Amino acid sequence: MRYFCKAFDLYINSSIHVAIAVLCFALISMLEYNLTIAIDLLAFIFFSTITGYNFVKYAGIAKLHHSSLAGNLRIIQIFSFVSFLALIYFSLQLSVNVLVATGILGLLTLLYALPVFGNSRNLRSLAGIKIFVIAMVWAGTTVLLPVINAQQLLNQPVLIDFFQRFCMVVVLTLPFEIRDLIYDSDSLETIPQRIGVRKTRIFGVVLSILICVIEIFQRQFRGYSLLALFLVCVIIGIFLLGSRGRQSKYYASFWVESIPIMYLGILLLMKYVLPNAVY
C-alpha cells in the first residue's frame, strides 16, 4: 500500500493527471465540433502541459538544488525532460498556425513563471490575475488549438465556447484558491482573499449557471451537449461548495482535476450510449 501511495503521489506531482484533464477538454472540443481526432495535436497538448506545469512548479527548485535532487523530484525532472523532447517531436507535425497560437499561449506560461516585471515578480504574483491567466491558457489550448488545427474559422460559436471554457476553468480553480488561502501572500489578492470563501462559492455557482444559460442560446445547440454540461456544472458546484481551507490531500489535486475526465465520460455516454434518451 505504501508503494501504491508513492506511485500515486508521483502520478499527481509529475502533472500527468492534470495533463490528462487538459487532454480530455481538447477531446471534448473535437467531439463537439465533429473534428477528426488529431492524435499529433493531442500528444502535443499532453506533453506540453506536463512540461509547462513542471517548469512552473519545479524550475526554481531545480535551479537552487540541482545537485541535491533526489527521489521523486529527480524522477520528475527526468520525466519532464523526456516530455519536452516529445513535445518538440510532435510540434514538428503541426501547422504553422497552430505553432503561432501555441507560441502566444507558451509566452503567457513563461510570463507566469519567470520574474520579468521587476522586483522578481511574474504574472503569477501580480495581484488578482493568477486564476485568469490559467483559465486563458487552458481555454486557448483546449478550444482554439483544435479548431485552428482543423483549419476552421474562429467564428462566434467557437469564441462563445472559448468564453464558456474560460469560465469553467476559473470555477475549477476556485477550490485550489480556497485550499491555498492560508498559504498565499496577501499581495496575490486571490478571489477568496478579496471576497471571502462564502462569496467565492457563490461566485463560482453563478459562473456555472451562466455557462449553462449561454449553452442554451448557442446557435449549434444540441440536447446531449447541454445535458452533459449541466451535469458537469452540478458536479463542479458540489465540489466547490465542499471546498474548505483544510481539505483532504487529494480533494483538489485529484478529484477536482478529474472533473474534465468525468465531463468527457458523460459526454461520450450521452452522445453514443444513450442517444435515444437525450433526443
Side-chain angles (χ1 to χ4, degrees):
M1 191 63 169
R2 183 165 59 92
Y3 294 106
F4 173 78
C5 290
K6 286 186 176 181
F8 188 73
D9 285 340
L10 181 61
Y11 166 74
I12 298 293
N13 294 331
S14 63
S15 302
I16 296 175
H17 188 60
V18 69
I20 292 174
V22 174
L23 189 71
C24 287
F25 265 151
L27 268 169
I28 289 167
S29 296
M30 291 178 183
L31 291 172
E32 292 281 46
Y33 294 121
N34 294 316
L35 304 178
T36 301
I37 304 301
I39 301 300
D40 288 338
L41 178 63
L42 292 175
F44 174 78
I45 289 173
F46 178 78
F47 289 113
S48 62
T49 301
I50 291 174
T51 302
Y53 263 80
N54 288 350
F55 173 75
V56 170
K57 289 192 293 185
Y58 302 116
I61 297 174
K63 181 179 179 181
L64 293 174
H65 307 289
H66 177 79
S67 61
S68 61
L69 288 175
N72 283 355
L73 195 54
R74 173 66 75 177
I75 295 173
I76 290 170
Q77 186 186 41
I78 296 171
F79 177 64
S80 300
F81 179 70
V82 173
S83 296
F84 175 72
L85 294 179
L87 94 83
I88 293 297
Y89 169 78
F90 285 108
S91 69
L92 298 177
Q93 319 304 315
L94 303 176
S95 68
V96 173
N97 289 339
V98 173
L99 294 178
V100 170
T102 301
I104 296 172
L105 298 172
L107 179 61
L108 278 175
T109 302
L110 287 175
L111 294 177
Y112 184 83
L114 299 178
V116 295
F117 294 102
N119 297 322
S120 298
R121 304 182 74 190
N122 50 33
L123 285 180
R124 188 179 192 178
S125 62
L126 295 181
I129 69 169
K130 180 178 83 168
I131 190 173
F132 302 109
V133 174
I134 295 171
M136 182 72 69
V137 173
W138 274 56
T141 300
T142 62
V143 176
L144 301 186
L145 289 190
V147 174
I148 294 172
N149 185 68
Q151 299 182 345
Q152 295 193 7
L153 295 176
L154 300 180
N155 53 25
Q156 183 178 342
V158 173
L159 296 179
I160 291 175
D161 283 341
F162 172 84
F163 177 71
Q164 287 177 289
R165 187 67 51 79
F166 175 89
C167 291
M168 183 175 288
V169 176
V170 168
V171 180
L172 285 172
T173 309
L174 293 178
F176 290 87
E177 296 214 326
I178 292 173
R179 179 197 66 184
D180 296 337
L181 184 58
I182 60 177
Y183 306 106
D184 284 338
S185 168
D186 292 340
S187 63
L188 288 178
E189 296 186 22
T190 63
I191 293 176
Q193 286 176 334
R194 285 185 169 187
I195 65 177
V197 173
R198 179 176 174 275
K199 289 183 178 179
T200 296
R201 295 192 188 109
I202 294 173
F203 171 69
V205 170
V206 170
L207 271 187
S208 297
I209 294 172
L210 176 63
I211 292 168
C212 292
V213 170
I214 290 174
E215 185 69 15
I216 294 174
F217 293 99
Q218 271 278 47
R219 189 175 64 189
Q220 297 176 342
F221 172 83
R222 288 181 292 252
Y224 69 83
S225 295
L226 176 62
L227 184 55
L229 184 63
F230 174 78
L231 290 175
V232 169
C233 285
V234 170
I235 293 171
I236 293 173
I238 291 171
F239 276 98
L240 178 59
L241 294 176
S243 297
R244 300 288 185 272
R246 297 186 181 277
Q247 52 188 249
S248 66
K249 182 179 180 180
Y250 301 114
Y251 187 88
S253 61
F254 178 73
W255 292 110
V256 173
E257 284 189 343
S258 295
I259 291 177
I261 303 172
M262 300 178 198
Y263 188 3
L264 177 61
I266 293 171
L267 185 66
L268 291 172
L269 181 68
M270 294 297 175
K271 185 173 184 179
Y272 297 111
V273 180
L274 301 173
N276 294 330
V278 176
Y279 291 113

